[in-house]
Amino acid sequence: MPHLSAFAITHKWPARHPDRIQLYSLPTPNGVKVSIALEELGLPYEPHLVRFETNDQTSPEFLSLNPNNKIPAILDPNGPGGQPLALFESGAILLYLAEKTGRLMPQDAAARYHAIQWLMWQMGGLGPMFGQLGFFHKFAGKDYEDKRPRDRYVAESKRLLGVLEQRLTGRRWVMGDDYTIADIAIFPWVRNLVGFYGAGELVEFDRFPQVQRALAAFGERPAVQRGLAVPSKS
Ligand SMILES: N[C@@H](CCC(=O)N[C@@H](CS)C(=O)NCC(=O)O)C(=O)O
């Protein structure tokens, strides 16, 4: 039985199944990337809810695993060399899970780097830009009189959607026929932009039919539907 008690995070979120991957998360666009990947891979895991309303992400227990105070984070009791591995940053976690299982990632070396390239594109561009657009369109920033910050993120979001549209033209998924961690990173954010943020009209989402088509296919995957609800907020 793996010993996870050395990890302070397990004191606040006890592991009932210490042999399973422990997931610390919330169903946000970054959080669901990991639950969707875990569901796709069929890996046994135990989800723990990190509540923002009680600032769980800044508790000493959470910070002991992720000093960056953001979800998602994992603790795999069976990491490299059979030792526990704690990890944060959704992109790093997706890469880890893909490499651990040899799935959701192209086998060909060049294609593998291209999948990582699109993953980085999401992590460094699409996610942060859409997130800022959400702030200026839906949250506190919407009341700012000066609309220039909002317009800057609208323009950048449209540009990024255009890049994705071009990539998906003639391809089923970002990497072609095979569904990869690049798709799992990208589509929760696109879904959130037009869904929760209600910014579809603002970014003229109807100008991106290939993105719409792939987003619909993403939403139909049973593992996506399950992963979107993890961890349950109840
Ligand atoms: N680059 C990080 C971003 C994670 C992130 O922004 N998480 C947000 C929720 S989507 C969060 O935990 N926010 C809490 C806070 O900032 O206090 C990743 O992809 O894991």
Side-chain angles (χ1 to χ4, degrees), residues 30-49:
N30 288 318
V32 299
K33 290 176 196 170
V34 178
S35 41
I36 288 170
L38 287 164
E39 291 288 341
E40 290 282 356
L41 294 166
L43 286 171
Y45 70 102
E46 181 174 351
H48 301 279
L49 185 65

Side-chain angles (χ1 to χ4, degrees), residues 1-229:
M1 184 70 81
H3 295 291
L4 296 184
S5 55
F7 292 85
I9 196 159
T10 66
H11 305 167
K12 188 172 171 73
W13 289 276
R16 278 191 301 267
H17 304 281
D19 51 329
R20 300 183 188 170
I21 293 176
Q22 305 292 303
L23 168 67
Y24 308 95
S25 193
L26 191 68
T28 70
N30 288 318
V32 299
K33 290 176 196 170
V34 178
S35 41
I36 288 170
L38 287 164
E39 291 288 341
E40 290 282 356
L41 294 166
L43 286 171
Y45 70 102
E46 181 174 351
H48 301 279
L49 185 65
V50 178
R51 294 179 188 276
F52 288 171
E53 60 273 26
T54 45
N55 281 321
D56 284 358
Q57 74 278 24
T58 57
S59 64
E61 293 90 346
F62 188 82
L63 293 174
S64 70
L65 194 148
N66 182 359
N68 195 40
N69 63 268
K70 287 184 189 289
I71 62 95
I74 63 164
L75 176 56
D76 184 354
N78 190 21
Q83 295 303 308
L85 178 76
L87 214 53
F88 62 89
E89 281 295 325
S90 58
I93 298 171
L94 288 179
L95 266 175
Y96 171 67
L97 295 176
E99 291 191 345
K100 181 183 170 83
T101 55
R103 292 169 54 201
L104 296 176
M105 191 72 147
Q107 296 298 319
D108 172 76
R112 186 175 164 278
Y113 281 113
H114 287 151
I116 294 174
Q117 161 191 278
W118 284 102
L119 175 67
M120 298 293 169
W121 178 80
Q122 184 286 311
M123 293 296 294
L126 190 103
M129 294 304 124
F130 285 13
Q132 292 299 327
L133 177 50
F135 175 82
F136 286 104
H137 177 61
K138 185 177 168 85
F139 301 111
K142 76 176 188 312
D143 300 324
Y144 295 4
E145 231 169 82
D146 187 347
K147 295 300 172 201
R148 283 175 298 180
R150 186 204 66 176
D151 292 347
R152 172 182 164 81
Y153 293 114
V154 170
E156 184 60 3
S157 298
K158 279 188 194 171
R159 189 191 68 76
L160 289 161
L161 284 167
V163 173
L164 185 58
E165 176 74 11
Q166 196 181 15
R167 176 68 189 178
L168 287 169
T169 302
R171 287 185 184 85
R172 186 167 171 222
W173 299 107
V174 169
M175 288 307 298
D177 287 341
D178 293 333
Y179 175 74
T180 67
I181 54 172
D183 302 293
I184 296 178
I186 291 168
F187 289 110
W189 270 106
V190 179
R191 177 180 180 274
N192 194 64
L193 181 78
V194 298
F196 185 56
Y197 289 171
E201 217 171 295
L202 200 59
V203 298
E204 300 174 273
F205 197 57
D206 53 0
R207 278 180 37 210
F208 307 106
Q210 299 305 322
V211 178
Q212 287 178 34
R213 183 251 316 147
L215 176 63
F218 180 74
E220 279 163 20
R221 296 181 75 91
V224 169
Q225 290 167 11
R226 291 194 303 274
L228 284 171

